[in-house]
Amino acid sequence: MALDRIHLGWFRNHRATALVGTGAFNLLVGENGAGKTNVLEAISLFAPGRGLRRAALPDMAGQDGDGAFAVSADLIADGAALRLGTGTAPDKPGRRLVRVNGADSTALSLSEWLGLFWLTPAMDRLFMESPGGRRRFVDRLALALDPAHAAHAARTEAAIRERNRLLSAPQEPDARWLDAIEAGLADCGSALAQGRARLIEALNGQLEALPDTPFARPMLAYQAGGPIEREALAQALRDNRRRDRAAQRTLTGPQRDDLSVIMATKNQPAAECSTGEQKAMLIAITLAHAELGQAQESQPRPRLLLLDEVAAHLDPIRRAALFERLEGGRAQVWMTGTEMAPFEALQGKAACWQVAGGQVQRADA
């Protein structure tokens, strides 16, 4: 068990929603626009970052409220409950608040308590979109396994932003300031890049070791945007100051990383595969990642897997394979669908809610 007693207050179209009595499998069923994905988005805020839609905080607040929202849940681990809460205040709708057992905390601290990953229809074009989208995908996978990854990413982003500010200034930047910023960037940037590289290597090993599966097997490659060792990255930043000054931005480092994916059976780049094949590879990566997490952590954190409309375009064989693999894992799974039929195999195993107009009603009693 991971999360229970989940409450949404004035979150998008949910004025006062409660989900109590959750299980290992949790299913939200309703028409398009009913508010199913909104529930998943609210749960995704129990991780650092902007949630599965990457929306601005003010956009998450209900339209008829005071401009604020709140999401809370009990995190169940080893028989004990920890109360997590996040949201905004009416006077500061753009500032995210986080509390753990009633005490003020930070969004970064949430990664210490649970590992959370999601798969949404918007990610179906992951292999076609910009490298930034793939970096976020890799970082979300890495964060679910390593809580420190969020801090490395945040520090790297801040250091690059500060270096770019100096590089784009009208006057020549002070070399001493650049030395200090680049030293910090080399520390956190190297840690970030190495974390990504380790993740890809481990995922490839897990994918190769998986039994026969109806899902297309991908092969992953980490494409570094610069040296990943600390000293080498620091030297590259120093050597490229003149070039970066001309470009007015940092052209070397983890902010230039990318993920390359090839469909193993065809030896074909994922971007050139069909939509169905791309979806199958995403699911294969998700399953490998879930099993990798079970094997890597000596004291695993509770894990959540949010799967939005994941069964909609799968045939019965692949649906059955997906449910079987998920059932064998230790993650708490949340799924959405427009009807119950695709989830018939989970009857009696899943906690189910009917969602309509921003309200939920238990449907498996």
Side-chain angles (χ1 to χ4, degrees), residues 28-283:
L28 302 164
V29 179
E31 297 179 355
N32 293 328
K36 306 183 300 296
T37 304
N38 292 343
V39 174
L40 297 192
E41 182 183 25
I43 294 174
S44 74
L45 295 179
F46 291 119
R50 297 171 58 183
L52 59 80
R53 282 194 177 105
R54 291 186 54 77
L57 290 171
D59 294 340
M60 301 180 191
Q63 293 183 353
D64 299 328
D66 59 7
F69 70 87
V71 181
S72 62
D74 283 346
L75 175 63
I76 311 297
D78 299 326
L82 184 77
R83 192 65 176 170
L84 302 178
T86 188
T88 59
D91 58 335
K92 295 182 179 179
R95 179 188 175 192
R96 184 175 173 190
L97 305 175
V98 176
R99 291 191 175 94
V100 177
N101 271 354
D104 290 341
S105 190
T106 66
L108 286 178
S109 71
L110 292 171
S111 61
E112 300 174 7
W113 299 106
L114 74 166
L116 201 155
F117 182 69
W118 51 79
L119 197 58
T120 70
M123 296 166 65
D124 288 354
R125 292 187 56 81
L126 177 75
F127 308 120
M128 308 290 291
E129 66 175 12
S130 67
R134 289 186 288 276
R135 283 194 296 273
R136 288 192 294 271
F137 176 75
V138 170
D139 286 340
R140 179 58 56 193
L141 291 170
L143 175 60
L145 300 177
D146 178 13
H149 193 82
H152 298 323
R155 288 176 56 208
T156 298
E157 182 179 350
I160 291 173
R161 188 166 55 245
E162 182 63 16
R163 187 174 187 267
N164 289 348
R165 185 185 68 81
L166 290 179
L167 292 172
S168 60
Q171 68 277 12
E172 189 71 22
D174 189 325
R176 291 171 298 178
W177 278 109
L178 281 174
D179 287 341
I181 292 171
E182 289 171 358
L185 176 54
D187 285 336
C188 54
S190 173
L192 178 65
Q194 291 184 45
R196 290 169 175 170
R198 285 194 301 270
L199 169 75
I200 299 306
E201 181 180 6
L203 277 176
N204 275 328
Q206 192 70 34
L207 287 164
E208 292 174 1
L210 289 177
D212 291 338
T213 172
F215 298 107
R217 185 171 73 84
M219 294 188 300
L220 315 180
Y222 171 64
Q223 298 178 335
I228 66 173
E229 298 297 333
R230 189 217 175 274
E231 292 303 323
L233 178 56
Q235 186 63 50
L237 291 169
R238 285 193 295 271
D239 293 344
N240 289 314
R241 285 180 184 177
R242 187 173 297 277
R243 181 197 64 173
D244 292 354
R245 169 80 167 152
Q248 297 191 345
R249 67 185 188 278
T250 303
L251 298 176
T252 299
Q255 79 283 2
R256 308 276 291 184
D257 289 353
D258 201 353
L259 171 68
S260 173
V261 181
I262 293 176
M263 185 174 173
T265 54
K266 293 184 176 181
N267 195 31
Q268 184 175 15
E272 299 176 9
C273 294
S274 70
T275 301
E277 290 169 334
Q278 292 177 0
K279 181 80 168 184
M281 285 187 282
L282 272 175
I283 292 175

